[in-house]
Amino acid sequence: MDQREYYEYARSRYLEYGVDTESAINRLLGVPVSLHCWQGDDVRGFDSDGALDGGIQTTGNYPGAARTPGELMADIDEAVKLMPGKTRLNLHACYAIFGDGPRADRDALRPEHFDAWVRFAAERDLALDFNPTYFSHPMLKNGLTLSSPDKEVRDFWIRHGICCIRIAEHFARKLGKKSLVNFWMPDGYKETPADRIGPRRRMAESLDAILAAGYDPDLVAVSLESKVFGIGVESYTVVSAEFCTEYAARHGLVPLFDNGHYHPTESVADKIPTALLFNDRIALHVTRGVRWDSDHVCRFNDEIRDIALETVRCGGLDRAYLALDYFDASVNRIAAWVAGMRAFRMALLYALCWPHEKAAAFQDGAEFTDMLVITEQIKTAPFAAVWEEFCRRAGVPADWLPEVKEYERKVLSARC
Ligand code: RNT
Ligand code: ZN
């Protein structure tokens, strides 16, 4: 059987479930997913030589990490060409490029420090998303930034937040594509804190001050990311899930759900329907926690499938900002990017090929036996054929690792 026949067979099998694989494929081709630049260099960035902190950690010493902006951009090119569908690029403020010019501290970053990225994006028709960097910096004092009791520390980071929003507005203007600015602050305590409300009050006031500087909602959307704990911040985080949803709801921000940021048995998939009911927009950081917020490469597993299923079934594909977030230094970093992106795309395609209409009708008719059986049977439908057809139409090979191995041999192995 050639690919065409294989796919036609799969298409007819899916039609028996009322699923149109043609519209699934076409729909997914237009769905953007934002690629995190920080997988390529282990979240080091270009604006400091210090170690990664803020409760996140990259482990592994696989050779070939990008050391310069040029190397990181070349690696992104290599990765993106193997990713099916529309990719956006997600930058962190610590990826500012100063070149021969003077360096600027985080509170004085300006759009021109990202000119090289804007050129890179424009030449490739990529949209840019942005993240202020509230970690790996000496002004992260005693584990706190915007919630610090020290006004000087808070003010520094308030200025950082404001200049990051300006930079993202500049991206949107230059590229003609709206930019998502995501705020994640690592603030928290290792020890059980005596005062739990004070830091949250200061955090809210600092965020208020950033938002008071204003932004153009046609150019940027602002999201807020919560977290349950971090390394060295085990007992308390300031921007907890409740803080995030309450603050976002009251200030028109987009709540961002990172599936590594909850208790291990808590399901982000189950939060999505409620979030989509009460918010115009939601945002996701798709990752793979292994026992803790360990940011492993995404795999095509139950968790990611459930996240994709709820996003699609709840009509959220147009309303969710989708992004990847993980950093693994123990494997080829380009392979990590590509494998993770493909796993999430696969999950989205799987969700688009789910017999939702039939299953939901069974649910409403209290025909739970039929609902159970159809949602079991669909699992063995010939999904591989639909995935391969999707890759073919997206112009990328189904079998991509040989290309990455070749790049490793030619390019990465020269970096030591
Ligand atoms: C950290 C958050 C955050 C970071 C990136 C680098 O736990 O998930 O999104 O991973 O900003
Ligand atoms: Zn995240």
Side-chain angles (χ1 to χ4, degrees), residues 158-197:
I158 288 170
R159 290 194 297 276
H160 177 58
I162 295 171
C163 63
C164 284
I165 292 177
R166 295 291 164 267
I167 290 164
E169 285 176 333
H170 173 77
F171 290 168
R173 252 183 237 111
K174 283 281 178 200
L175 300 169
K177 289 169 189 135
K178 194 164 173 169
S179 181
L180 180 72
V181 194
N182 177 49
F183 280 77
W184 171 68
M185 283 68 59
D187 297 38
Y189 291 106
K190 182 183 180 81
E191 192 45 85
T192 309
D195 172 17
R196 287 170 179 264
I197 195 169

Side-chain angles (χ1 to χ4, degrees), residues 38 43 56 92 135 184 225 227 258 261 285 293 325 327:
W38 50 92
V43 209
I56 52 178
H92 241 285
F135 52 82
W184 171 68
E225 178 177 10
K227 189 162 181 176
D258 178 315
H261 290 191
H285 270 185
D293 168 47
D325 180 19
F327 20 98

Side-chain angles (χ1 to χ4, degrees), residues 235-314:
S235 295
Y236 165 92
T237 57
V238 178
V239 184
S240 59
E242 295 75 13
F243 181 97
C244 175
T245 43
E246 298 274 354
Y247 190 91
R250 281 165 177 67
H251 296 82
L253 302 192
V254 179
L256 186 145
F257 302 85
D258 178 315
N259 58 296
H261 290 191
Y262 298 85
H263 290 283
T265 56
E266 217 175 334
S267 153
V268 164
D270 191 39
K271 299 175 191 300
I272 289 173
T274 308
L276 282 169
L277 200 58
F278 293 106
N279 293 278
D280 288 340
R281 299 282 177 159
I282 64 165
L284 299 178
H285 270 185
V286 183
T287 187
R288 178 163 56 104
V290 178
R291 303 196 189 283
W292 57 283
D293 168 47
S294 51
D295 290 293
H296 283 53
V297 178
C298 294
R299 302 186 72 142
F300 184 57
N301 60 10
D302 285 346
E303 187 182 18
I304 206 174
R305 276 194 293 270
D306 287 346
I307 288 172
L309 275 165
E310 287 307 338
T311 306
V312 169
R313 291 197 290 226
C314 299

Side-chain angles (χ1 to χ4, degrees), residues 116-411:
W117 284 113
V118 171
R119 273 198 305 278
F120 177 81
E123 283 161 10
R124 289 151 183 81
D125 195 28
L126 288 169
L128 290 177
D129 295 312
F130 201 48
N131 301 260
T133 310
Y134 284 96
F135 52 82
S136 304
H137 190 281
M139 282 300 263
L140 169 65
K141 289 247 168 82
N142 301 317
L144 305 176
T145 64
L146 291 176
S147 72
S148 169
D150 181 342
K151 185 169 183 313
E152 203 189 317
V153 172
R154 292 199 305 279
D155 287 348
F156 175 88
W157 290 113
I158 288 170
R159 290 194 297 276
H160 177 58
I162 295 171
C163 63
C164 284
I165 292 177
R166 295 291 164 267
I167 290 164
E169 285 176 333
H170 173 77
F171 290 168
R173 252 183 237 111
K174 283 281 178 200
L175 300 169
K177 289 169 189 135
K178 194 164 173 169
S179 181
L180 180 72
V181 194
N182 177 49
F183 280 77
W184 171 68
M185 283 68 59
D187 297 38
Y189 291 106
K190 182 183 180 81
E191 192 45 85
T192 309
D195 172 17
R196 287 170 179 264
I197 195 169
R200 290 188 174 132
R201 186 178 292 118
R202 292 190 292 268
M203 174 61 74
E205 287 168 2
S206 296
L207 289 171
D208 290 351
I210 292 170
L211 297 178
Y215 63 89
D216 184 341
D218 290 333
L219 298 176
V220 297
V222 178
S223 62
L224 183 62
E225 178 177 10
S226 68
K227 189 162 181 176
V228 67
F229 85 103
I231 300 168
V233 193
E234 289 87 358
S235 295
Y236 165 92
T237 57
V238 178
V239 184
S240 59
E242 295 75 13
F243 181 97
C244 175
T245 43
E246 298 274 354
Y247 190 91
R250 281 165 177 67
H251 296 82
L253 302 192
V254 179
L256 186 145
F257 302 85
D258 178 315
N259 58 296
H261 290 191
Y262 298 85
H263 290 283
T265 56
E266 217 175 334
S267 153
V268 164
D270 191 39
K271 299 175 191 300
I272 289 173
T274 308
L276 282 169
L277 200 58
F278 293 106
N279 293 278
D280 288 340
R281 299 282 177 159
I282 64 165
L284 299 178
H285 270 185
V286 183
T287 187
R288 178 163 56 104
V290 178
R291 303 196 189 283
W292 57 283
D293 168 47
S294 51
D295 290 293
H296 283 53
V297 178
C298 294
R299 302 186 72 142
F300 184 57
N301 60 10
D302 285 346
E303 187 182 18
I304 206 174
R305 276 194 293 270
D306 287 346
I307 288 172
L309 275 165
E310 287 307 338
T311 306
V312 169
R313 291 197 290 226
C314 299
L317 221 40
D318 287 329
R319 294 199 285 132
Y321 294 100
L322 306 173
L324 303 181
D325 180 19
Y326 52 78
F327 20 98
D328 189 337
S330 74
V331 293
N332 179 304
R333 292 167 185 78
I334 293 160
W337 260 325
V338 179
M341 178 63 92
R342 282 181 174 241
F344 186 43
R345 283 270 176 213
M346 220 181 263
L348 290 168
L349 186 63
Y350 184 84
L352 285 161
C353 292
W354 187 259
H356 180 53
E357 275 176 31
K358 281 199 177 193
F362 287 141
Q363 176 181 326
D364 287 347
E367 295 173 274
F368 300 121
T369 311
D370 297 74
M371 186 182 79
L372 171 72
V373 172
I374 194 180
T375 53
E376 272 304 285
Q377 283 178 341
I378 194 70
K379 292 178 183 168
T380 52
F383 179 65
V386 186
W387 171 251
E388 283 170 24
E389 181 64 13
F390 172 69
C391 289
R392 197 186 65 77
R393 292 198 201 167
V396 300
D399 183 19
W400 53 272
L401 190 56
E403 160 71 33
V404 174
K405 287 273 176 73
E406 181 63 10
Y407 185 81
E408 175 168 324
R409 206 179 52 72
K410 278 205 201 131
V411 180

